[in-house]
Amino acid sequence: MILTTESPTNTGSTMADTILTAQELKQHYRVKQGFFKPEATVKAVDGVSFTLKKGQTLAIVGESGCGKSTLGRMLTMIETPTAGAVDFEGHDLLNLDKQKQAELRQKIQIIFQNPYGSLNPRKKIGTILEEPLVINTNMSQAERKQKALSIMAKVGLKEEHYNRYPHMFSGGQRQRIAIARGLMLDPDIIVADEPVSALDVSVQAQVLNLMMDLQDELGLSYVFISHDLSVVEHIADDVMVMYLGKVVEKGKKADIFSNPQHPYTQALLSSTPQLNADKRRTRIKLEGELPSPLNPPNGCAFHGRCIHANDRCHTETPTLQSQKNQLIACHAVEEGRL
Ligand SMILES: Nc1ncnc2c1ncn2[C@@H]1O[C@H](COP(=O)(O)OP(=O)(O)O)[C@@H](O)[C@H]1O
Ligand SMILES: [Mg+2]
């Protein structure tokens, strides 16, 4: 993927204020396994903490099934966590009265991966964009249309698109529409759940560039979810790597990419294509599959796929420790065996 410029907000400044803090967030689902079997618990997210800085991008990466979307649904108040806390500019999001919750919900918007599924095919773009205004504001029809047209212009859509239906657009344009819809209520935070994963690589870069431009222009903070590390290399300020519901590595984008420390991060990075030959890494193959969260391994959840695993890794769950510039949950790193 070729991206033109790095936006100035992506220099990883540590001066930025915190806009959102998640503390020990958990989402444990009770699931039925069959008629005669007892219910089991899926620990989709199991104790995740992070801070999001104003105007910056936190990327959440990890293989499919590691809990990224579940985390996104909790941050946007679509789901209530089993445990933990979320602070958004001094507000405890999990303990709000109905009115305050409705108000703050508008400030944290989510954009989904699939722009085909998330746009109602029977509605015109103008109607789709104005829906959040109809529900949440007292704006007149004329005001709503004006707002829709101004946001459409910001995301690179034309005025004549207002009366068209979603199927008349390409994948990239549909994702622009989805982004526009997310912006209609002037949010502070956008949770983007795999926003470019369904798009052709050439179109991915355009949408990522658009998102970075919008971030600069509107001062947005992003939680950017992706299974693909190469997608977040340009847009992220901070990167958090998840494995089976837990954070295994967290740090500044530059540190994660130049010095990945957790064996899982190293494996993820070596499996992403690198255009630049100097940056090509020795391939660490990621063997096997993500274990089932219904029956997670003891100790470190990654031990079954890790060439550095020893007895301790089979029995004792590692916790996040400060190692150089990152936080890492790995016994091998902690013991200096890597
Ligand atoms: N509503 C649900 N009920 C039961 N299990 C769920 C539910 N939603 C997600 N899961 C499970 O939680 C785990 C994490 O899923 P998800 O958050 O979608 O991961 P990701 O977005 O990283 O692919 C998966 O094992 C998934 O099957
Ligand atoms: Mg997902």
Side-chain angles (χ1 to χ4, degrees), residues 225-277:
I225 293 170
S226 177
H227 67 277
D228 184 347
L229 257 170
S230 69
V231 164
V232 311
E233 182 160 8
H234 298 273
I235 198 167
D237 295 286
D238 295 319
V239 175
M240 181 166 100
V241 182
M242 285 180 65
Y243 192 78
L244 217 65
K246 289 192 160 74
V247 178
V248 296
E249 181 157 6
K250 192 160 61 169
K252 297 227 156 300
K253 184 239 327 247
D255 294 322
I256 299 277
F257 278 86
S258 64
N259 182 27
Q261 294 187 62
H262 196 286
Y264 181 60
T265 314
Q266 293 176 350
L268 274 185
L269 259 180
S270 68
S271 67
T272 59
Q274 292 289 339
L275 294 175
N276 183 343

Side-chain angles (χ1 to χ4, degrees), residues 7-50:
S7 74
T9 49
N10 288 346
T11 48
S13 156
T14 51
M15 304 298 281
D17 295 333
T18 294
I19 187 164
L20 184 122
T21 307
Q23 268 173 13
E24 284 295 310
L25 272 185
K26 292 184 183 175
Q27 187 63 281
H28 294 181
Y29 297 112
R30 303 287 295 163
V31 291
K32 282 212 160 54
Q33 298 191 87
F35 204 71
F36 296 105
K37 288 189 181 161
E39 278 192 358
T41 304
V42 176
K43 296 183 176 177
V45 172
D46 199 22
V48 169
S49 304
F50 61 84

Side-chain angles (χ1 to χ4, degrees), residues 29 31 42 44 63-70 73 293:
Y29 297 112
V31 291
V42 176
E63 282 164 288
S64 174
C66 71
K68 306 180 298 295
S69 295
T70 302
R73 290 195 298 273

Side-chain angles (χ1 to χ4, degrees), residues 280-293:
R280 229 170 263 152
R281 295 172 177 89
T282 35
R283 257 183 118 79
I284 306 166
K285 224 170 127 217
L286 199 52
E287 280 173 352
E289 288 180 0
L290 192 71
S292 162

